Amino acid sequence: MSTVPGHPEAIVRPTAAAPGFEVERVAPREALAEFVDYHWLVRWSVPKPHRQQVVPQPRVHVAAEDGQLLVHGISRSPFYRTLTGNGHVLGAAFHAGGFRPLLKGSVGAISGTIQPGRHLLAGDDRPVAERILAGTDSAEMIDAFERYLLRTDPVPDPTGREITDLVGDAQSNRDIVRADQLAAHAGCSLRTLQRLFTEYVGIGPKWVIQRFRILDAAGAAHSGERIDWSALAYELGFSDQAHLTRVFTHVVGTPPATYQRTHGLL
């Protein structure tokens, strides 16, 4: 299994998280690669409780935690977890259009929710979650996890693959700053794009595009370089620096310049 990059810029205050905090990202087996982007395994050993924030992305996650597999629909709210003592969590990060074949229904129906796998997927998830959470070997834990996911009998969906590609384009192409631009890029109407994103991603294209631009801003803050935030705001499609500051503050909790300055990132 090979390590894949994921989105490390989504980890808020990474320098604070570094001690006693390890993240491993592993590619899925071939039978799941159409649906799962990567597995993530977080291990920690902290002398006192550590509250970690992660910026939500346009993807569903399924994670073994609290004795069960929990399906995390896309949320507009900040995501926090408090880590105590020693432990680990294993999760699967799905491609943007990759979870619908397992759910077999609209991903928009689970947005903003966290639900046990047994309510949505392939039967009782608790035995496999207990095996994962009691495990120590990464490969064995991931194998048990993947066997459970494969019990849903997911069938490759060409539309889901197209949506995943479109979300990838929105991520990589900073010239795409509005939903109508992404619709034109896709060769469909804005209304059609909105419907497809609700069905497959679980949230609209406007949110997806803006979230990637915020992750770009977070990546700039993590670079350790001095940033011209006004120029970057324009580059990322915000109307001005104040607009970027408002959105960044809503997502991360502090303005970007303050975030970089006060968290040892500069």
Side-chain angles (χ1 to χ4, degrees):
M1 293 183 179
S2 60
T3 301
V4 294
H7 299 278
E9 67 274 16
I11 297 175
V12 177
R13 296 179 292 278
T15 54
F21 184 82
E22 177 186 331
V23 180
E24 181 182 1
R25 297 178 177 89
V26 179
R29 68 176 68 185
E30 185 177 355
L32 281 168
E34 174 86 10
F35 317 105
V36 175
D37 189 1
Y38 59 92
H39 298 293
W40 50 267
L41 178 60
V42 179
R43 291 186 173 93
W44 66 88
S45 178
V46 292
K48 59 182 180 179
H50 173 76
R51 190 170 188 248
Q52 182 61 51
Q53 180 182 355
V54 178
V55 175
Q57 303 165 47
R59 60 171 77 241
V60 170
H61 290 262
V62 179
E65 49 188 327
D66 299 326
Q68 57 190 330
L69 293 182
L70 293 177
V71 179
H72 294 255
I74 293 176
S75 175
R76 297 177 182 271
S77 302
F79 180 85
Y80 300 94
R81 275 292 179 270
T82 298
L83 309 178
T84 59
N86 303 315
H88 66 268
V89 173
L90 173 65
F94 283 77
H95 291 297
F99 189 68
R100 190 185 184 284
L102 283 78
L103 182 64
K104 297 176 171 52
S106 173
V107 181
I110 64 168
S111 292
T113 71
I114 301 174
Q115 302 185 48
R118 58 190 175 276
H119 293 171
L120 300 174
L121 298 174
D124 193 353
D125 55 282
R126 288 167 291 193
V128 66
E130 291 174 2
R131 180 177 174 185
I132 290 168
L133 294 172
T136 57
D137 183 87
S138 299
E140 291 179 0
M141 289 188 284
I142 290 171
D143 180 69
F145 191 18
E146 291 188 325
R147 288 177 183 275
Y148 176 86
L149 294 176
L150 286 169
R151 280 163 49 189
T152 64
D153 295 322
V155 177
D157 185 331
T159 302
R161 194 179 307 123
E162 290 174 6
I163 296 300
T164 293
D165 289 344
L166 278 176
V167 171
D169 292 341
Q171 177 185 355
S172 62
N173 187 349
R174 286 188 175 185
D175 291 334
I176 298 175
V177 296
R178 300 191 315 273
D180 63 318
Q181 292 175 316
L182 187 59
H185 176 74
C188 66
S189 70
L190 178 56
R191 179 170 296 185
T192 295
L193 187 70
Q194 290 168 334
R195 176 179 58 79
L196 288 170
F197 267 57
T198 298
E199 181 75 14
Y200 282 86
V201 185
I203 203 161
K206 178 181 178 180
W207 185 95
V208 170
I209 294 166
Q210 188 176 81
R211 182 48 48 95
F212 282 135
R213 302 295 79 87
I214 289 298
L215 287 170
D216 287 339
H222 296 167
S223 70
E225 301 176 359
R226 294 192 178 277
I227 305 299
D228 183 336
W229 293 107
S230 179
L232 184 63
Y234 177 78
E235 180 184 342
L236 298 180
F238 294 91
S239 56
D240 53 25
Q241 184 177 349
H243 184 198
L244 169 61
T245 297
R246 285 196 303 274
V247 178
F248 191 96
T249 302
H250 173 73
V251 173
V252 175
T254 58
T258 304
Y259 171 74
Q260 186 182 47
R261 185 175 62 254
T262 60
H263 295 295
L265 300 171
L266 183 62

